Amino acid sequence: MAVYSMTGYASAQHSTANSAVDGEPKNPLVSQLGLEIRSVNSRFLDLSFKLPEDLRPYEPALRDLLIAKLKRGKVEVRASVETSSSSSVPDPSPKLLQRLNAVQDNVKAWLPQANPLSVADVLRLCAAEQSSHHDWSGTVLQVAEKALKELLSARQREGARLTAMLSDHVSQIRTLVQQASPLVPQLVAQQRQRFLDRWKEAMALTDGTTLPEAAQDRALTEATAFAIRIDVAEEITRVNSHLDEIERLLKKGGEVGKRLDFLIQELHREANTMGSKSAALELTHISVDMKVLIEQMREQVQNIE
C-alpha cells in the first residue's frame, strides 16, 4: 500500500451544449462546470465547500464521495458554472424581454426613482436565466470523481517523495548511531586511566610509595560510576528500534502519519538524552546532527496522511 501525502491539488471540467431556452434554437448554449479540490495537512479530515447556488443540492453527495476516499487533511472543494451561447453575446428571447419589461414596470410603479434596466443588466439576467435551466445531476459526481482521482494521484506522488526523503534520513541516523556506539567504551577506558593517574599523583605527593590497593579500587569505582553516567547503550538500542519501526511503516503504507509522528517524537527524546549524557565533543556533534535530521523528518511527517 502506498504512502499518501495530505498535500495536493486537482481540477476537472465538463462542457455540455443544449438548445436555448423557451424553445428558440437561435444560439445553442454551452455550459461548463469546473471543479477544483485543494488539500493541505490537518490532524483530521476537514471538508469545506464553495459551490454556486445551482450546485448546493449536491453537497451531501460530494461530501460522502470525499469521506470514502480521504482520511485526513484540510480539503476545500470549489465549483463554478459558466454558461454562454455560440455567439460572444447572449441573445435574450422575446419572452424573457417581455417578462423583464413587465417586472420593470411593476417596480417603477412602486419605486419611481428606481433606475431603468440597462443593456448590461438584461444580458446578465439572460445568462443567469439560461444557466438555471441546466440540470447537473448526472454530471457533478462524475466530474468530482475525476478530480478526486487526480488528487489521489498527486498525493501519492508526493507521498512517494516523502517516503524517499524519510528513508534517506533513517539511513543517515543509523550511520550516526554506528559512529556513536564505539565512542562510549573508549571514553570509559580513557576516564578510568585518568582516575588512576590522578590517584598515583596524589599518593606520590604523600609518601612516594606505590599505589595502595584501596586507592586503586576507589579509582575503579569512580570510573564505573562515570561509565554508568555516560552510558547511552539503551538510547542507541531504542533509536535503532524506532528506526526499524519507521521503515516498517513506510513499507506498509496506508494511514501511518500519526504513528510516524509519535515515533519522531520518541527519536527526538532519545537524541536529547544522548546529548545530555555526552562526555566528549564527538558525541555532542553526533547528537546535534541527529536532532537536525529528526527535526527535518518531523516537518515532513506532518504532511503524511
Side-chain angles (χ1 to χ4, degrees), residues 160-190:
R161 187 188 68 80
L162 294 176
T163 299
M165 188 279 293
L166 292 173
S167 298
D168 179 68
H169 280 46
V170 166
S171 298
Q172 294 184 53
I173 293 176
R174 286 194 187 279
T175 300
L176 292 174
V177 169
Q178 291 173 0
Q179 294 173 3
S181 297
L183 291 178
V184 174
Q186 295 175 11
L187 289 172
V188 173
Q190 293 173 5

Side-chain angles (χ1 to χ4, degrees), residues 30-49:
V30 178
S31 298
Q32 178 168 312
L33 168 65
L35 190 141
E36 297 180 345
I37 306 179
R38 303 173 186 268
S39 175
V40 295
N41 62 320
S42 176
R43 293 183 61 190
F44 308 101
L45 181 59
D46 181 9
L47 303 178
S48 63
F49 297 86

Side-chain angles (χ1 to χ4, degrees), residues 6 43 72 166 246 249-250 255-269 294-295 297-305:
M6 286 185 283
R43 293 183 61 190
R72 291 178 64 199
L166 292 173
I246 289 174
L249 291 175
L250 292 176
E255 302 172 43
V256 296
K258 291 183 178 180
R259 298 187 66 181
L260 287 173
D261 187 44
F262 171 76
L263 289 171
I264 295 300
Q265 294 179 27
E266 294 300 308
L267 274 179
H268 195 272
R269 182 179 293 109
I294 291 169
E295 180 62 22
M297 294 174 69
R298 186 191 67 80
E299 293 177 356
Q300 299 303 324
V301 163
Q302 300 296 320
N303 293 319
I304 294 180
E305 187 177 53

Side-chain angles (χ1 to χ4, degrees), residues 231-295:
D231 185 19
V232 293
E234 292 185 7
E235 286 75 14
I236 289 176
T237 299
R238 285 193 290 266
V239 166
N240 283 323
S241 176
H242 296 331
L243 294 177
D244 291 340
E245 182 64 11
I246 289 174
E247 289 183 327
R248 188 188 71 82
L249 291 175
L250 292 176
K251 291 179 181 179
K252 174 186 175 183
E255 302 172 43
V256 296
K258 291 183 178 180
R259 298 187 66 181
L260 287 173
D261 187 44
F262 171 76
L263 289 171
I264 295 300
Q265 294 179 27
E266 294 300 308
L267 274 179
H268 195 272
R269 182 179 293 109
E270 302 303 335
N272 275 334
T273 304
M274 290 179 62
S276 65
K277 289 185 175 182
S278 176
L281 188 60
E282 295 90 337
L283 274 176
T284 300
H285 289 165
I286 289 174
S287 174
V288 171
D289 291 341
M290 286 180 61
K291 286 191 282 188
V292 170
L293 292 171
I294 291 169
E295 180 62 22

